[in-house]
Amino acid sequence: MSGSYGTFSTKQEERRKRTVPDRVLIRRVYEYAQAHRTHLMIGISATVAGALTGLASPYMHAIAIDRIITPKNLSGFIWWVPLFVAIIMGNYLFQYIQTYQMRVVGENVVAKMRDDMMEKLQVISLRYFSEGEAGRIISRPTNDANTVRIFLRLGLTSILLDLSSILGAFTIMFYLDLRLSLFAITVLPVAIVLVWFLGKHSRAAYRRTLITTSGLTARMQEDLAGIKVTQAYAQEKETEKKFLKSQDENVKATIRAILIGSSYTPFVIGLRLIGTMIILFYGVNAVLTGTITLGILVAFTEYQFAYFMPLVDLVTMYDQYQSAMSAIERMFDVIDTKVEILDAPPERSIALQ
Amino acid sequence: MSIAKPLVDYAKSLRPQKGFTQSFSAFKKLMKYHRRYYWFVVAIVILAVIRSVLFSVEPLYTTFIVINVIGPPSNLSLLWGYLVVIILAGIGYAISNFVLIFVHGVMSQYIVRDIRTEYYRSLQGKSFSFYDSVAVGDLTSRATVDLQLVDMFLRTWLGTILNAVFTTIIIIAIILPISSIMTLISMATMPFIFYFTARLWIDTMPLFRNMQLIMGRLTSYIQQNIVGMKTIRIFRREKDVVDGFKEVESIYVNTAISAGKIQSIYMPLGPAILTLGIALVYVYAGYTLGIPGSALAVAQVGDIILFARYMMRLTFPIRDVSQTLGTWIAAYAGLERVLEITDAPRNVEDSPNAKDIKIEKGKLELENVTFGYAKDRPVLNNVTFTVHHGGKIAILGATGSGKSSLIYLIPRFYDIQTGSIRIDGIDIREFKLASLRKQIGVVLQDVFLFSGTIGENIAFGKPSASMDEIVQAAKSARIHAFIESLPLGYDTPVGERGVTLSGGQKQRVTIARALVGNPRILIMDDSLSFVDAKTEQEIQSAIEEATKTRTTLIIAQRFSTIKTAEKILVLENGSVAEFGTHDELMAKNGVYKKVYETQFVQKASPILDEAGGA
C-alpha cells in the first residue's frame, strides 16, 4: 500500500497519450539533421544501395545454376566470379558507408538536442524545478536522449534496410516470375494481420514492464533517500521485503512480456514454411514443365527468406519507434518551454552604482 | 573555476584502455550467478542442439527435391514426402526456438533479480559515511539502467553462441561427406571471420567503456544542475554549466563516432568474407567439373546448390555472435558499476560476539572518544562525558565542530577509532546493531518521510505498533491534534505524492516516529532553522514532552531548547570546550557566555549557525 503512490503517478506518465503527430516530430528532427545533410543523404543512399546489392546475391546464384553449372558451361565463371566478388565488395562498401554516416548524423543530432535542452533549462522559470518534478526533468536529457540515440544508431538504419530489402525482394521476384510471385505472397496478408495482432499484445505487455520498472525505480530511489532513517530504526528487513515484492512484480511482468513477445515467432516461422511449401510445390511443377528454370526456383526460396525476416524485424521495431517518438516529443517539450523572465535588452540594463 | 571543470578534466583524462582481462574477470563473475540456474543452462544446451539440427533440415531437403524430384530423372511422387519432412522439421524448429528464447529470458530475469537483490542488500548495510559521499540518483541508475544492459546480454548470449557453434558443426557434418575439399575451401574463411570479429571487439571495447563512464558522469552532472538550479541562478553560473556540458558532450560524440568508424569497418566484414567463400566453392566446382573423371564431374548440380545454401545460412549465426559481443561490451561496463558497490566492504558491522541486549536504564558514557572520516583528520578528539539515565544534554557548537558526528556515534552510524562508548556500562559494540538501534530513538536533521500514510510513518520503527501507541507518540510530539484535523486522519498519505506538510509538521512527525518504541535513549538533531515563532513553540513543547523521562542528547539551535537541558556541552574543533549547567557555564565566563550574550540575548529567534555540518 505504501508504495503505491510513486507507481501510480508514473503509471499515468507512461499512459499519457502523445499529442504531436509523428510527421511533425520527424520534420523537426530533420531540421536538426539539416546541418549534416550531406552525411544524411550519403547514409540513406548507401543503406538503399546496400540492401539492393545484398539482394543481388541470390539472383547471382540463380544465374550460376542456370547458365553455368547446369549446362556445364564453365567458362561462364570467368565473368561470373569477378561480378559476384564486385557485388559483395560493393555491398560491404555500402554497409560501411551507411554505418559510419548514420552514426555521425545520429550522434550529432542527439547531442545538439541535448545542448538545446540544457540551455533552455538554465533560463526557464524555477517553478518547473519544484520537488516532485526533478526526477521527470532529469530523465529528459538523460533517459529520453538515450532512447533516441539508440534508435538513431540501430533502429533507423534497420527500418531503412528492412524496407528496401522487402521492396527490393518483391521487385526482383516479380521480375523473375509473376505467377510464382503471386503464389509466394499469398501468405503475406495473413502474416501481416497475425504479426500485427500479436504485436499489439506484446506491446501491451511491454508497456506493463515499463510501469513496473518505474515502480521499482521509484521504490529504490525512495529507499535510498530514506536509508539513514531505515538504518536508524533498524528496519532494513522491512524495507527489503517491500523492495523484493516490487522487484518480483517487475520480474513477473517481464517474463510475461518475454513469453508473449516470443510467442509470435513460431507463427511467423510457420507462415514462412507454408510460403516455402507453396513455392516448392508450384515451383517444382513449373520447373518440370519448363515454365521456370531451376535457378529461379532456388532463388525464390532465398528471396522468400529475404523478405520475411525484415518483415518480422519491422514489426518488432515498431515498439522502438514508438518509444523513440515519445522521447522525442518529451525532449521538444523542454526545448519549446516558454521563457517567462527574460533579461532586459542590453541598452536598457542599468548598472548598479 | 568553471563548475564543469572536474567533469571536463575527467572526460579528457580517459584514455582507451585495453579492458580485455577485466572484461574476462567480469564475465567469470557473471558466470557465478548462472550456477544457481544449472538446469536452465542444461535445458538451453539441449534446445540449442535440437534447434540447430532442425534448422539444417530445410536446405537439405530442398536439395533432395532438386536432385530426386526434378532430376533428371524426375520423380514427382517423392515431392510430398520431402515437403512433409520440411514442414515437420520447421514446426519442430519453431517450437524449440520459442521454448529456448523463453527459458533463456526467464533465466536472465532470475539472474538480474539475484544481482539486484545482492546489490540492494549491500546498500542496506553501507554506513552513513558511504551515503555522505554518493548520489542517490547514481545508485538507483546502477540498479536500473546498468542492469538493463546486463539483462540485454543475458537474454540471448548462451543461445547465440551455442547456435553458432552447433550450426557450424552440423553444417560441416552434412557437407563433409559430399566433398572434403569443398568443405575445406568454404571453411577456410572461418579463421578470418573470427579474427575480424575479435578485432571489432577488442578495438571498440575501450571506447564504449569510456562512453559509458562519460555518460554516467554526465547524468549526475545534469542531476546536480537540475537539483541545484536555484543556486546556479543566484550565482549566475548558467553559461558555465552549459559550456562545460557541451564540451563533454562533444568528447562523447567524438568517441562514439570513432567507435562507429571501427564498427562500420569490421561489422559487415564477416558476412562478406563468408560470401566470398561461396565464390571460391563455385570456382573450385567449376574447375573440377571441367576435368573428366574427377570426383565432381559426376556429382550433381544439387550438391553445389547445397553448399551455397548452407554457406548462406551460416551468415545469420555469425552476425548474431558479433551483435552479442556488442551487447557484452555494454553489459560489462554496467556489471562493473554494480559490482563495484556490491563488493565494497561495509564498515560498520556486528562484532562476532554481539548479542541482543536490553537497555534497562539508559546511562550513557563516552570515554576518550576519537573519530574522523579520514584516519589522519579527526573530527572528534578525546571526547569524554557522562549522561545519567534520564538526563538531558544540549550540544552547542559552530558548523563543523563535530556535533552531528558526536551524536551519530551512539547508534553506530559511524564507528569510533579509539576510546569507548558505553550504555549502562556495556560497550555499544557488544550490542547487535539492530538491537542497539531499535532501542535508541533518533530524530535526524533531515526530516525524511516515506510515501505512505502518516500513521505508517509514525509506526516506521515498530511496524507492529498498535493504534494506541501511535496516537500516544503523536500526542507526545504535539502533532495529534493536527493529524486529527485532516479528513483522513492517520490514513492521510504523505511523502512525495501525498499532502504537503510544513517543515515544522514534518519534524513533529519524525519526533513521534522516534517515540513509538518508547526508547530509553533519544538522540535529536534539532537543526531546523528558519521557522516562525508559533512553529518553534510547538516544536519546543514537543521536545520537552518527548525528553521528559529519557536520556537525551540534543543538538540545539534555539535558546528555548538549551534552557530545558540539564547540562550543556560546548564543542569546539572536535573537543569539549565546556560542560556544565547554564549557571556554571555563565559563571565560567567562557565561550558559552559569549555565545549566549551575542546570539541568544540580542535576537528574538536566535540561530547559532546554519543548519548543517556533520
Side-chain angles (χ1 to χ4, degrees):
Chain A
M1 176 186 173
S2 57
S4 58
Y5 303 103
T7 325
F8 178 66
S9 74
T10 46
K11 221 179 250 181
Q12 280 180 327
E13 164 104 338
E14 300 297 344
R15 282 190 181 157
R16 206 172 59 121
K17 279 266 178 276
R18 290 202 6 243
T19 49
V20 185
D22 289 9
R23 63 192 152 77
V24 176
L25 294 175
I26 292 171
R27 206 190 58 227
R28 293 204 53 188
V29 174
Y30 178 70
E31 279 164 22
Y32 274 87
Q34 280 277 330
H36 313 277
R37 210 172 45 214
T38 330
H39 290 290
L40 184 67
M41 288 307 147
I42 295 173
I44 291 176
S45 319
T47 309
V48 174
L52 295 182
T53 44
L55 286 169
S57 180
Y59 186 53
M60 287 298 289
H61 287 295
I63 290 174
I65 292 167
D66 287 345
R67 304 207 189 149
I68 301 170
I69 300 169
T70 311
K72 303 215 165 162
N73 169 28
L74 300 168
S75 59
F77 276 127
I78 291 168
W79 60 266
W80 186 92
V81 170
L83 185 61
F84 187 65
V85 171
I87 287 172
I88 292 166
M89 301 290 257
N91 180 252
Y92 169 74
L93 194 68
F94 290 131
Q95 285 192 55
Y96 160 71
I97 296 171
Q98 162 230 315
T99 312
Y100 181 63
Q101 302 291 337
M102 296 308 260
R103 182 68 57 90
V104 172
V105 178
E107 292 295 339
N108 278 305
V109 166
V110 176
K112 183 80 181 68
M113 284 176 77
R114 267 167 70 128
D115 289 349
D116 284 1
M117 257 191 292
M118 285 301 281
E119 260 174 17
K120 187 48 82 68
L121 285 177
Q122 312 304 318
V123 291
I124 58 175
S125 163
L126 278 174
R127 69 188 168 84
Y128 286 101
F129 300 96
S130 61
E131 230 177 286
E133 299 296 289
R136 267 185 45 211
I137 298 178
I138 289 168
S139 86
R140 296 187 180 183
T142 55
N143 296 344
D144 287 339
N146 229 10
T147 309
V148 176
R149 189 194 308 275
I150 291 169
F151 176 71
L152 291 181
R153 192 182 290 169
L154 302 168
L156 185 62
T157 41
S158 291
I159 289 176
L160 281 172
L161 211 58
D162 291 341
L163 280 177
S164 25
S165 295
I166 294 169
L167 291 178
F170 280 168
T171 313
I172 297 173
M173 281 164 78
F174 277 94
Y175 165 76
L176 288 177
D177 190 87
L178 182 68
R179 244 171 67 97
L180 199 54
S181 304
L182 288 175
F183 281 127
I185 63 165
T186 44
V187 289
L188 195 61
V190 188
I192 290 173
V193 170
L194 188 83
V195 167
W196 189 256
F197 173 75
L198 289 166
K200 233 171 89 177
H201 281 273
S202 105
R203 276 193 293 281
Y206 174 67
R207 264 198 295 276
R208 248 202 76 74
T209 68
L210 286 185
I211 294 164
T212 56
T213 306
S214 319
L216 186 67
T217 310
R219 176 96 255 160
M220 185 108 194
Q221 189 99 26
E222 183 176 299
D223 284 358
L224 290 176
I227 187 89
K228 289 189 173 178
V229 178
T230 306
Q231 292 186 344
Y233 291 92
Q235 290 302 312
E236 290 93 338
K237 289 234 166 66
E238 290 296 315
T239 50
E240 185 182 301
K241 241 187 261 166
K242 287 182 196 160
F243 173 80
L244 292 182
K245 203 176 140 236
S246 171
Q247 181 171 248
D248 276 344
E249 268 169 36
N250 181 242
V251 169
K252 265 189 212 138
T254 314
I255 289 177
R256 216 178 97 87
I258 294 173
L259 181 66
I260 296 173
S262 55
S263 69
Y264 69 87
T265 53
F267 291 106
V268 170
I269 294 171
L271 278 172
R272 186 169 60 78
L273 269 173
I274 295 172
T276 309
M277 292 301 100
I278 295 172
I279 291 172
L280 285 175
F281 189 75
Y282 286 96
V284 167
N285 284 299
V287 171
L288 289 176
T289 56
T291 329
I292 59 167
T293 61
L294 176 61
I296 287 177
L297 175 62
V298 175
F300 252 86
T301 57
E302 289 304 321
Y303 281 122
Q304 221 243 343
F305 209 79
Y307 84 76
F308 233 93
M309 283 310 174
L311 198 71
V312 178
D313 204 40
L314 262 189
V315 177
T316 51
M317 213 50 90
Y318 185 80
D319 273 338
Q320 254 196 52
Y321 170 79
Q322 281 296 329
S323 57
M325 282 296 151
S326 313
I328 289 171
E329 185 179 5
R330 285 194 293 265
M331 284 164 79
F332 279 123
D333 213 34
V334 173
I335 295 174
D336 296 343
T337 308
K338 281 207 177 62
V339 180
E340 289 160 22
I341 310 161
L342 276 176
D343 258 350
E347 67 272 14
R348 284 182 51 199
S349 59
I350 301 158
L352 292 172
Q353 296 299 313
Chain B
M1 190 182 89
S2 156
I3 298 174
K5 197 169 180 305
L7 177 67
V8 175
D9 287 348
Y10 175 75
K12 280 183 180 162
S13 74
L14 286 175
R15 295 279 166 268
Q17 286 172 352
K18 296 270 176 246
F20 196 79
T21 46
Q22 278 146 291
S23 156
F24 190 69
S25 79
F27 183 73
K28 276 210 301 219
K29 280 182 192 160
L30 192 59
M31 286 310 99
K32 226 176 54 202
Y33 288 98
H34 283 75
R35 225 175 270 164
R36 265 184 76 183
Y37 304 103
Y38 174 74
W39 285 108
F40 281 78
V41 175
V42 172
I44 289 168
V45 173
I46 295 170
L47 285 163
V49 173
I50 297 174
R51 185 173 73 169
S52 298
V53 170
L54 295 174
F55 182 69
S56 60
V57 168
E58 198 242 329
L60 188 64
Y61 275 75
T62 35
T63 314
F64 286 162
I65 291 175
V66 171
I67 297 170
N68 300 333
V69 178
I70 296 176
S74 67
N75 184 355
L76 209 52
S77 63
L78 287 171
L79 180 60
W80 278 110
Y82 290 141
L83 288 185
V84 167
V85 174
I86 292 176
I87 286 265
L88 287 180
I91 291 170
Y93 168 76
I95 292 171
S96 57
N97 183 52
F98 162 66
V99 177
L100 194 148
I101 292 173
F102 181 64
V103 171
H104 217 309
V106 172
M107 182 176 76
S108 77
Q109 291 315 298
Y110 286 168
I111 291 174
V112 167
R113 184 191 61 189
D114 290 354
I115 298 175
R116 195 189 282 119
T117 304
E118 228 182 79
Y119 174 75
Y120 184 87
R121 287 204 175 120
S122 88
L123 283 177
Q124 296 270 39
K126 297 273 191 278
S127 75
F128 275 31
S129 345
F130 173 81
Y131 286 102
D132 292 338
S133 62
V134 291
V136 166
D138 179 54
L139 289 179
T140 311
S141 89
R142 287 175 202 238
T144 51
V145 180
D146 285 312
L147 275 186
Q148 221 161 13
L149 298 170
V150 179
D151 183 18
M152 262 169 66
F153 171 74
L154 285 176
R155 288 240 184 135
T156 55
W157 79 274
L158 185 59
T160 307
I161 291 171
L162 291 177
N163 190 33
V165 173
F166 292 146
T167 308
T168 311
I169 292 173
I170 290 162
I171 287 178
I172 291 176
I174 293 174
I175 61 180
L176 194 63
I178 299 171
S179 161
S180 49
I181 296 176
M182 262 160 73
T183 306
L184 206 64
I185 292 171
S186 56
M187 290 297 149
T189 55
M190 280 290 167
F192 294 99
I193 293 167
F194 277 126
Y195 172 72
F196 288 119
T197 309
R199 275 298 293 274
L200 168 69
W201 191 32
I202 291 165
D203 289 356
T204 54
M205 193 165 65
L207 294 174
F208 276 112
R209 211 177 104 83
N210 286 359
M211 278 159 64
Q212 251 166 314
L213 291 175
I214 295 176
M215 194 47 83
R217 290 288 180 104
L218 214 49
T219 302
S220 36
Y221 181 76
I222 293 171
Q223 271 174 358
Q224 280 165 15
N225 175 229
I226 287 168
V227 173
M229 190 57 84
K230 221 177 261 173
T231 323
I232 286 162
R233 297 281 176 88
I234 291 168
F235 291 98
R236 306 253 29 177
R237 304 299 288 270
E238 298 97 322
K239 201 177 165 309
D240 268 4
V241 168
V242 175
D243 287 350
F245 180 83
K246 283 185 180 169
E247 198 175 343
V248 178
E249 175 93 287
S250 79
I251 295 174
Y252 180 87
V253 168
N254 289 336
T255 318
I257 290 174
S258 313
K261 195 162 199 170
I262 300 170
Q263 281 184 310
S264 60
I265 291 171
Y266 291 126
M267 255 176 11
L269 209 52
I273 292 174
L274 198 70
T275 322
L276 280 178
I278 302 174
L280 285 176
V281 170
Y282 277 134
V283 173
Y284 172 77
Y287 173 69
T288 46
L289 273 173
I291 302 168
S294 73
L296 263 174
V298 288
Q300 300 178 44
V301 175
D303 291 340
I304 298 166
I305 296 171
L306 187 70
F307 259 88
R309 297 201 72 192
Y310 272 130
M311 294 299 288
M312 281 193 270
R313 284 287 189 275
L314 262 183
T315 50
F316 297 102
I318 284 172
R319 203 187 49 193
D320 290 348
V321 167
S322 107
Q323 265 171 11
T324 298
L325 287 177
T327 61
W328 169 242
I329 293 166
Y332 147 64
L335 185 70
E336 228 189 7
R337 268 168 54 79
V338 172
L339 294 184
E340 176 186 57
I341 301 289
T342 309
D343 295 344
R346 32 188 312 179
N347 26 22
V348 176
E349 266 181 304
D350 274 339
S351 37
N353 49 358
K355 289 187 284 288
D356 283 319
I357 301 168
K358 190 166 168 8
I359 299 174
E360 298 288 348
K361 293 187 164 154
K363 182 187 174 196
L364 194 60
E365 293 162 279
L366 278 81
E367 198 185 320
N368 293 325
V369 167
T370 297
F371 164 76
Y373 297 99
K375 278 259 150 57
D376 50 338
R377 275 190 299 130
V379 176
L380 293 170
N381 237 327
N382 269 320
V383 175
T384 303
F385 67 93
T386 302
V387 194
H388 292 287
H389 68 94
K392 180 172 168 190
I393 303 282
I395 298 169
L396 222 71
T399 303
S401 61
K403 295 171 299 191
S404 295
S405 308
L406 176 62
I407 65 165
Y408 287 169
L409 290 177
I410 317 287
R412 288 187 66 196
F413 294 151
Y414 308 97
D415 264 345
I416 56 175
Q417 265 110 36
T418 57
S420 76
I421 299 174
R422 291 186 298 274
I423 295 172
D424 292 341
I426 306 164
D427 193 292
I428 53 170
R429 279 164 294 198
E430 288 177 31
F431 286 76
K432 275 195 173 154
L433 265 183
S435 152
L436 177 72
R437 288 177 179 173
K438 274 187 178 160
Q439 297 182 82
I440 299 175
V442 180
V443 179
L444 297 168
Q445 182 187 319
D446 171 24
V447 284
F448 182 88
L449 296 182
F450 289 94
S451 53
T453 67
I454 293 187
E456 283 168 354
N457 266 289
I458 294 177
F460 181 77
K462 191 182 174 190
S464 62
S466 68
M467 198 58 210
D468 271 355
E469 283 177 275
I470 294 172
V471 171
Q472 198 49 51
K475 278 182 177 163
S476 301
R478 300 283 185 265
I479 189 75
H480 174 69
F482 167 75
I483 297 171
E484 286 286 88
S485 77
L486 296 167
L488 290 173
Y490 282 87
D491 293 328
T492 308
V494 288
E496 211 173 309
R497 311 288 170 184
V499 294
T500 313
L501 300 178
S502 74
Q505 288 159 349
K506 271 192 194 166
Q507 199 184 24
R508 279 177 289 152
V509 173
T510 61
I511 292 174
R513 179 166 68 190
L515 297 181
V516 159
N518 197 17
R520 299 313 326 138
I521 298 174
L522 193 61
I523 280 168
M524 296 180 86
D525 199 344
D526 177 33
S527 302
L528 197 67
S529 37
F530 304 111
V531 291
D532 58 56
K534 184 173 173 286
T535 312
E536 186 186 335
Q537 209 234 312
E538 281 167 348
I539 294 172
Q540 197 45 51
S541 139
I543 291 176
E544 262 174 58
E545 177 71 25
T547 58
K548 241 178 211 165
T549 55
R550 298 179 173 91
T551 310
T552 307
L553 279 185
I554 182 164
I555 294 177
Q557 299 290 337
R558 285 171 280 269
F559 180 59
S560 49
T561 317
I562 292 165
K563 203 174 56 182
T564 61
E566 191 180 293
K567 280 185 179 175
I568 295 143
L569 186 136
V570 183
L571 270 183
E572 221 175 18
N573 298 324
S575 302
V576 180
E578 289 171 10
F579 184 51
T581 63
H582 173 73
D583 295 337
E584 281 167 15
L585 295 189
M586 288 303 280
K588 219 177 176 186
N589 208 2
V591 190
Y592 179 73
K593 190 171 183 234
K594 216 184 291 166
V595 172
Y596 176 75
E597 281 169 352
T598 55
Q599 302 279 323
F600 297 143
V601 178
Q602 289 168 7
K603 288 181 189 170
S605 180
I607 295 148
L608 189 63
D609 61 46
E610 279 175 43

